């Protein structure tokens, strides 16, 4: 009976060590063999002890595995293998182009719902339309909305009583060079090219 419990304890210890020491599965195989050995030794004592060992292995092994899997990401080896820890926010991996920079700059802005938001819909800020998601229920067309979060390129809005701020931070595109006099462009006269 003592050897049956000793083999059970050794098998559980080998399961735990397998998660923290890279062995290529050798420790897992050794753990499985010791757990089977504990059951065999239990049956050699009596059928009753054998069944007790089967039940103990069936109950204790999943509990130990679950605890080990939950603790593993917090170990030095787990932190070095995992790119991010459980509970860390997902990084924003959107491209850094003009469109996505503009989307990110809309956080905190107030616009108008251009369609009924059920919860998806369209909003209008500075005369441009953007797809958005309502986070506070249905928002009727024409109601003021505030962009409170930009997540993975998606605008999350909620109804607000704040007034719409037109053209806040908006840069007007420069006029066409064709609309400006040639003297302002610094180009020599084209009337006598050989002069």
């Amino acid at each position: 009976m003592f050897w049956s419990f000793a083999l059970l304890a050794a098998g559980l210890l080998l399961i735990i060590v397998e998660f923290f020491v890279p062995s290529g599965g050798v420790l897992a195989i050794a753990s499985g063999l010791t757990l089977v050995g504990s059951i065999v030794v239990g049956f050699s004592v009596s059928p009753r002890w054998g069944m007790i060992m089967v039940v103990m292995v069936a109950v204790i092994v999943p509990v130990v595995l679950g605890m080990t899997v939950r603790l593993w990401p917090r170990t030095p080896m787990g932190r070095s293998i995992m790119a991010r820890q459980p509970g860390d926010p997902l990084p924003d991996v959107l491209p850094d182009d003009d469109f996505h920079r503009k989307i990110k700059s809309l956080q905190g802005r107030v616009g108008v719902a251009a369609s009924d938001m059920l919860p998806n819909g369209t909003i209008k800020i500075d005369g441009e339309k953007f797809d958005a998601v309502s986070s506070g229920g249905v928002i009727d067309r024409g109601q003021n909305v505030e962009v409170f979060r930009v997540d993975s390129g998606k605008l999350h809005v909620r109804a607000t009583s704040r007034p719409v701020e037109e053209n806040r931070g908006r840069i007007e595109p420069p006029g066409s060079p064709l609309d400006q006099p040639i003297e302002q462009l610094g180009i020599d006269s084209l009337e006598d090219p050989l002069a």
Side-chain angles (χ1 to χ4, degrees):
M1 181 167 47
F2 167 76
W3 288 108
S4 186
F5 285 113
L7 286 172
L8 176 64
L12 295 175
L13 182 65
L14 287 172
I15 287 175
I16 294 169
V17 171
E18 170 64 28
F19 275 91
F20 301 106
V21 177
S23 69
V26 172
L27 292 175
I29 292 170
S31 170
L33 291 175
T34 57
L35 292 173
V36 169
S38 72
I39 293 171
V40 169
V41 170
F43 272 112
S44 70
V45 171
S46 74
R48 180 174 170 212
W49 273 112
M51 288 307 294
I52 289 173
M53 293 309 296
V54 167
V55 170
M56 287 179 69
V57 167
V59 170
I60 294 174
V61 168
V63 169
V64 168
L65 276 172
M67 288 179 3
T68 307
V69 167
R70 287 184 65 84
L71 290 176
W72 184 77
R74 292 169 180 80
T75 65
M77 185 172 74
R79 282 192 299 269
S80 68
I81 291 175
M82 296 183 71
R84 62 181 197 88
Q85 297 300 309
D88 287 353
L90 290 173
D92 199 5
V93 293
L94 296 174
D96 190 27
D97 58 9
D98 291 337
F99 174 75
H100 288 96
R101 278 193 295 271
K102 182 175 193 168
I103 291 290
K104 289 178 190 177
S105 73
L106 294 176
Q107 186 162 341
R109 299 286 309 273
V110 176
V112 177
S115 67
D116 291 334
M117 302 190 70
L118 307 169
N120 292 334
T122 306
I123 65 169
K124 193 182 241 186
I125 298 177
D126 292 336
E128 284 188 70
K129 290 186 177 183
F130 300 96
D131 291 330
V133 177
S134 164
S135 295
V138 176
I139 297 177
D140 295 326
R141 175 184 298 163
Q143 192 172 355
N144 288 0
V145 293
E146 176 184 10
V147 179
F148 70 92
R149 185 175 76 213
V150 179
D151 187 23
S152 298
K154 192 71 166 172
L155 300 177
H156 294 264
V157 299
R158 61 180 162 221
T160 185
S161 59
R162 287 178 42 199
V164 176
E165 303 165 9
E166 291 291 331
N167 296 326
R168 186 189 111 193
R170 184 174 182 188
I171 299 170
E172 292 295 326
S176 170
L178 298 176
D179 295 337
Q180 300 175 4
I182 196 165
E183 292 83 25
Q184 286 183 347
L185 297 175
I187 300 175
D188 295 330
S189 175
L190 299 176
E191 291 183 12
D192 190 8
L194 299 175

